Amino acid sequence: MFATEFLDIPPLDAAAGTVALPGSKSISNRVLLLAALCEGTTVVHDLLDSDDTRVMLDALRALGCGVAIEGSTVRVSGFGARGPAPQAKLFLGNAGTAMRPLAAALAVLGGDYELGGVPRMHERPIGDLVDALRPLGCDIAYLGQEGYPPLRIGLPALKLDAPIRVRGDVSSQFLTALLLALPLVSRQDVVIEVAGELISRPYVEITLNLLARFGVAVRRDGWKRFTIPAGSRYASPAELHVEADASSASYFVAAGALASDSGVRILGVGRDSIQGDIRFLDAAQAMGAQVSSGPNWVEVRRGAWPLRAIDLDCNHIPDAAMTLAVMALYADGPSTLRNIASWRVKETDRLAAMAAELRKLGAEVEEGADFLRVTPPAAWQAARIRTYDDHRMAMCFSLAAFNPAGAHVRIDDPKCVAKTFPDYFETLFSVAQLPVPRIPVICVDGPTASGKGTLASCTAQRLGYHYLDSGALYRITALAAVRAGLPLDEAHEHRIAALAEKLPVRFEGASILLDGEDVTDAIRAEAVGMDASRISALPAVRTALVALQQGFRRLPGLVADGRDMGTVIFPDAQLKVFLTASAAKRAERRHKQLISKGLAPTIDTLRADLEARDARDANRAVAPLKPAQDALLLDNSEQSVEDSVAQVLAWWEARQPFAAS
């Protein structure tokens, strides 16, 4: 997951390949609560791992459930007939799929509970659910603003004789919460009546489907009246598999429709999904996408181009409809999305947010009380997209990077996708395609002990870019060759080169991994350094390592450090920095490092060694150490690491097309 302040996405040309999606948020949190309400243990496979499911799991633990997690499989031991812990204070983040159902279940069961979340959760309405529960005898009080969390829940004096009325035109989660909670107290038939038009009906269908899986068959009279039969009781299905998230699938359906001639295949969800957002496929087809599907997969490729404009009632796909708003940027005329008033009470006011950010890209947008009309840009503009701590804003607007004008897109706060899809951007980059020379690269070259590795790794971390320590590759190659039993001589040059070409190396922060093993300390051994010097003289090995280094150039970008990054390996890099410091300062820094390791050479000796090495590096026949002609010189003799990083980031920012907004 990208935890950076922002994430820059270069212009993307195409998309192709296969993606496996995380589990559905809507199904995951419903299943977790249902498992908690049962006797015995329910094994849930393919559970979504996200902020929303984590707060639900934490809440269930606090309420007395047993929770055991093994990868994407979770075993939930429910509290069943014994009931939840009588007292708990629950933090539910910004998870409406946890707040609303838990509030209803705890209100009918009774106890001493406080339910709260992040500030935005305390702006999301819950008054209609509370108004439905109070006439039943539930004891619920607002701890802040009337009609909004946080809530205090006490002991009820239940009266279930009359039908329970709940509004359906604000959020379907209120009805879902009642449907999940009331089987716990259905000593007689319990009737729920919906006032107003029920929005987001497909999410209620998910609820009804899952209730049936847990032994409760709700009778439905249209979308106005729901009856929970007397004597209903939850029974665990023992095991249950969570479908991949159909809302998350919409981004890759869109990527296929926008930019794929060969197809993007999505695994884990198909046409027979119980999730209403699978009907996003129909909307994508209406815009011109070519769609094929099977029981557990969907494949999408570009059909009509530009896409066809649509005028669509989106009540049935409220979350996925956000993706349509960005697809509308690529249409042949204005598109109108209707019946989306529920957007205003989601993680943010999505109607206002979507309108504001679409305009930044050059679109004309008309925002109504419950509709959005989008006219494609006459001229695309580079844009810094504000995400409002809303996962769907970040994921939707990443699709703007496929724009035909080559306009750059910056996504603020990319980590907000953790709510439902922590690895979203990594998954997008796995299928996104663009010419390698357009992948951004920052090179940091310089002499020994100048601090280029620290500067480069810190810069990469700040930008969310990959990191390459080129000097370490020679040491890693030497270590791997010795472990493979290869003598380090000319006779074995080509075998060492073949090994070097395919080294399974990863740089993760300050750690260097070889085939998953942390070799950070092992390659710093004096013997490994001497071996690295021997193999660096073998031309075939140097050639192989050039190819390996160039292979680190992957989305979203790369920061590479070494002695010839800007001159030999990445001569087309967008920013080249030549970092240096006086020999005296470098000797002082190296002396401190060695002292910390129990070694004590004199500073004068170190300085002499560094000066001699500088001379050798500058005069070697192959890739001599020298600044690239277009490199920016940075002398960090009197700078802290933070100062140097700030300077490089300032140079980088000056080359970006985004307004300072």
Side-chain angles (χ1 to χ4, degrees), residues 89 145 260 271 323 387 659:
K89 185 173 183 178
Q145 184 180 358
S260 184
R271 281 280 191 185
T323 311
T387 52

Side-chain angles (χ1 to χ4, degrees), residues 273-298:
S273 168
I274 68 171
Q275 299 169 74
D277 273 351
I278 198 63
R279 293 170 64 187
F280 179 84
L281 295 176
D282 299 330
Q285 283 181 298
M287 296 189 80
Q290 294 184 11
V291 179
S292 55
S293 63
N296 204 37
W297 60 270
V298 172

Side-chain angles (χ1 to χ4, degrees), residues 402-454:
F402 289 104
N403 72 82
H408 289 244
V409 175
R410 172 172 288 181
I411 304 293
D412 279 345
D413 188 28
K415 67 180 179 298
C416 67
V417 300
K419 182 175 175 66
T420 53
F421 198 162
D423 296 329
Y424 170 74
F425 288 106
E426 291 87 343
T427 306
L428 175 66
F429 294 148
S430 75
V431 295
Q433 298 178 341
L434 76 166
V436 169
R438 293 221 315 260
I439 298 175
V441 175
I442 299 173
C443 293
V444 181
D445 289 315
T448 298
S450 59
K452 57 186 178 292
T454 301

Side-chain angles (χ1 to χ4, degrees), residues 510-523:
S511 299
I512 303 170
L513 306 181
L514 175 61
D515 200 18
E517 177 192 352
D518 190 335
V519 295
T520 309
D521 294 331
I523 65 170

Side-chain angles (χ1 to χ4, degrees), residues 311-354:
D311 189 322
L312 185 67
D313 184 325
C314 298
N315 181 51
H316 59 300
I317 51 169
D319 284 342
M322 294 179 69
T323 311
L324 294 177
V326 177
M327 290 176 70
L329 296 170
Y330 300 86
D332 57 7
S335 293
T336 305
L337 309 180
R338 302 184 186 277
N339 207 356
I340 52 175
S342 64
W343 283 15
R344 295 202 184 276
V345 294
K346 296 289 187 174
E347 283 78 348
T348 188
D349 180 343
R350 287 175 171 169
L351 261 168
M354 185 63 74

Side-chain angles (χ1 to χ4, degrees), residues 326-572:
V326 177
M327 290 176 70
L329 296 170
Y330 300 86
D332 57 7
S335 293
T336 305
L337 309 180
R338 302 184 186 277
N339 207 356
I340 52 175
S342 64
W343 283 15
R344 295 202 184 276
V345 294
K346 296 289 187 174
E347 283 78 348
T348 188
D349 180 343
R350 287 175 171 169
L351 261 168
M354 185 63 74
E357 305 311 309
L358 289 169
R359 291 186 185 111
K360 290 181 181 178
L361 292 160
E364 292 183 17
V365 183
E366 181 182 353
E367 174 195 344
D370 66 347
F371 75 89
L372 202 67
R373 183 171 293 112
V374 182
T375 300
W380 283 81
Q381 300 169 7
R384 179 170 188 159
I385 301 299
R386 183 183 170 199
T387 52
Y388 306 84
D389 195 26
D390 187 337
H391 56 134
R392 300 210 183 280
M393 290 292 292
M395 293 186 280
C396 283
F397 277 95
S398 68
L399 299 169
F402 289 104
N403 72 82
H408 289 244
V409 175
R410 172 172 288 181
I411 304 293
D412 279 345
D413 188 28
K415 67 180 179 298
C416 67
V417 300
K419 182 175 175 66
T420 53
F421 198 162
D423 296 329
Y424 170 74
F425 288 106
E426 291 87 343
T427 306
L428 175 66
F429 294 148
S430 75
V431 295
Q433 298 178 341
L434 76 166
V436 169
R438 293 221 315 260
I439 298 175
V441 175
I442 299 173
C443 293
V444 181
D445 289 315
T448 298
S450 59
K452 57 186 178 292
T454 301
L455 173 60
S457 63
C458 290
T459 301
Q461 187 175 30
R462 290 281 296 276
L463 293 171
Y465 283 4
H466 299 284
Y467 168 57
L468 167 61
D469 176 353
S470 65
L473 291 182
Y474 285 93
R475 290 174 171 265
I476 294 167
T477 301
L479 178 67
V482 169
R483 288 181 173 183
L486 297 176
L488 307 183
D489 54 30
E490 292 182 4
H492 295 83
E493 176 179 350
H494 292 286
R495 291 184 65 187
I496 298 171
L499 181 151
E501 275 184 339
K502 299 180 179 179
L503 277 176
V505 182
R506 295 201 323 274
F507 296 95
E508 293 187 356
S511 299
I512 303 170
L513 306 181
L514 175 61
D515 200 18
E517 177 192 352
D518 190 335
V519 295
T520 309
D521 294 331
I523 65 170
R524 302 302 177 195
E526 189 68 23
V528 175
M530 294 176 64
D531 289 341
S533 181
R534 294 170 64 187
I535 65 166
S536 68
L538 303 174
V541 175
R542 293 191 66 88
T543 300
L545 286 177
V546 167
L548 179 65
Q549 289 170 94
Q550 291 171 338
F552 277 83
R553 192 172 193 170
R554 301 188 298 272
L555 284 168
L558 174 68
V559 182
D561 83 72
R563 293 185 178 84
D564 58 1
M565 294 295 99
T567 54
V568 176
I569 309 302
F570 302 110
D572 60 344

